[in-house]
Amino acid sequence: ASLTGKMLAAAEELRLNGVTSASLEQAASRLDSAAPLRGKLRDLALVTAAYDGLLNEVYGENPADRMLRAAEQIDKHGFFRGSVIFIDSFTSFTAQEYDVLRELLRQCEEITVALCSDGYSSRLPHLESVNKTAQRLSKLANLTDTPVKRTVLSPDPGKRPEALRFLAEEIWHFEGKRPSPPENSDAVTLLSCTNLYEEAEATALQILALVQEGMRYGDIAVIVRDTETYRGVLDAALERHGIPYFLSERTDLSAKPLARLILSALRAVSRNYHVKDVMTLAKTGL
């Protein structure tokens, strides 16, 4: 099951980025016959071709191609002709999404794409992928004879503390002599804790201090790299101090009760009612 899941994820990622089984085979043919990657690419080409054939036989189409079909329908019916569209909260696009964008550029009166960057030619490492997206969008616009206007929105210097401005401008500059940070600023505080429990406790106490100063709970956000690592630690500390919170995280659809009900029922039937599958079915509460 683990290998199958990885293969399906790889096949879908290839599909979304416009890599077909034929292109995999072509890439393999250009490699030396003794190269390990040659065999792996050919295996992947065979597997994806067989899987696509099975999907077409059973369903008539591959669900992963929905964006391609959307692009075809937009082109066929001219649905967005004369429209004005705003696109936000993206850092990059898949090959299929670029197909949709190409059709939108051909039809729309105007498209605005908002990207989080400090300029079109920024050299900061954490903005590299965003700027590559901007460059690719410009090339796409040129292919459709669409004029491009670039606008950089500069922040109002009076809207944020000097320490935050300094941090934003200097944190990714690793070369040369760095200027001194502003003094007597409490906008940025660095705390060193020995473990997760101390981190969670310090976070809860800081939230309480901010609320006592007049800030609302809804204006406070706690950001961690891996939500699962802090599960049962951070939320426990917040609850212990009576702090209301909402945990926002990406969850797999298969973890939802209804999806688990359907999947576990199918597994139970197809695997002759294994105890594990029946228990998972029962634990959904449905």
Side-chain angles (χ1 to χ4, degrees):
S2 176
L3 176 61
T4 303
K6 290 180 180 178
M7 288 294 292
L8 289 174
E12 182 169 5
E13 184 174 358
L14 291 169
R15 197 84 178 183
L16 291 175
N17 288 282
V19 182
T20 64
S21 56
S23 59
L24 287 172
E25 185 65 38
Q26 291 173 2
S29 65
R30 290 195 293 266
L31 295 173
D32 186 84
S33 58
L37 183 58
R38 179 187 176 99
K40 290 183 180 296
L41 287 177
R42 286 211 157 138
D43 288 346
L44 196 54
L46 287 171
V47 170
T48 53
Y51 179 60
D52 290 341
L54 179 62
L55 286 176
N56 289 331
E57 180 182 338
V58 176
Y59 301 107
E61 58 189 21
N62 190 329
D65 288 338
R66 55 189 176 274
M67 295 299 290
L68 287 177
R69 293 195 297 275
E72 293 172 357
Q73 293 300 314
I74 292 171
D75 178 38
K76 180 179 179 180
H77 299 287
F79 181 79
F80 289 97
R81 189 164 288 116
S83 300
V84 176
I85 291 181
F86 292 82
I87 300 174
D88 195 9
S89 300
F90 282 86
T91 58
S92 62
F93 301 94
T94 66
Q96 292 191 17
E97 289 170 341
Y98 276 115
D99 287 339
V100 173
L101 287 170
R102 184 180 61 250
E103 298 304 327
L104 294 180
L105 285 168
R106 287 173 175 166
Q107 297 183 22
C108 291
E109 181 179 333
E110 181 180 326
I111 295 180
T112 300
V113 182
L115 298 172
C116 184
S117 179
D118 65 344
Y120 187 75
S121 58
S122 174
R123 297 183 180 275
L124 296 179
H126 62 296
L127 299 176
E128 182 180 2
S129 63
V130 179
N131 290 322
K132 285 183 177 179
T133 299
Q135 293 166 11
R136 188 166 178 181
L137 287 171
S138 294
K139 291 180 180 179
L140 194 65
N142 291 333
L143 290 174
T144 57
D145 295 326
T146 304
V148 178
K149 178 183 177 182
R150 304 186 187 102
T151 303
V152 179
L153 301 178
S154 301
D156 186 343
K159 294 294 185 181
R160 58 178 175 175
E162 182 65 16
L164 288 180
R165 182 204 60 77
F166 175 85
L167 189 64
E169 293 178 358
E170 303 295 334
I171 190 171
W172 296 107
H173 290 170
F174 304 117
E175 70 285 342
K177 184 178 180 181
R178 303 181 65 174
S180 301
E183 298 180 357
N184 303 322
S185 174
D186 59 355
V188 178
T189 303
L190 300 180
L191 296 178
S192 178
C193 302
T194 58
N195 53 48
L196 292 179
Y197 298 96
E198 281 195 7
E199 285 185 30
E201 186 68 16
T203 300
L205 294 176
Q206 178 68 12
I207 291 174
L208 290 178
L210 291 173
V211 171
Q212 290 174 1
E213 293 174 2
M215 188 174 289
R216 298 181 301 175
Y217 286 117
D219 293 332
I220 302 172
V222 179
I223 302 173
V224 297
R225 179 185 292 271
D226 182 10
T227 309
E228 194 61 34
T229 302
Y230 289 84
R231 186 183 297 278
V233 180
L234 180 58
D235 49 346
L238 297 176
E239 291 173 0
R240 185 166 58 252
H241 289 280
I243 299 173
Y245 67 91
F246 168 74
L247 187 64
S248 176
E249 60 180 336
R250 179 178 295 180
T251 58
D252 195 320
L253 182 62
S254 62
K256 302 297 183 181
L258 183 57
R260 289 180 63 196
L261 171 73
I262 297 171
L263 292 173
S264 57
L266 290 172
R267 289 195 191 99
V269 172
S270 63
R271 301 200 296 190
N272 200 25
Y273 298 96
H274 284 189
V275 173
K276 180 181 178 181
D277 297 330
V278 176
M279 291 298 295
T280 302
L281 178 64
K283 288 179 179 179
T284 61
L286 300 177

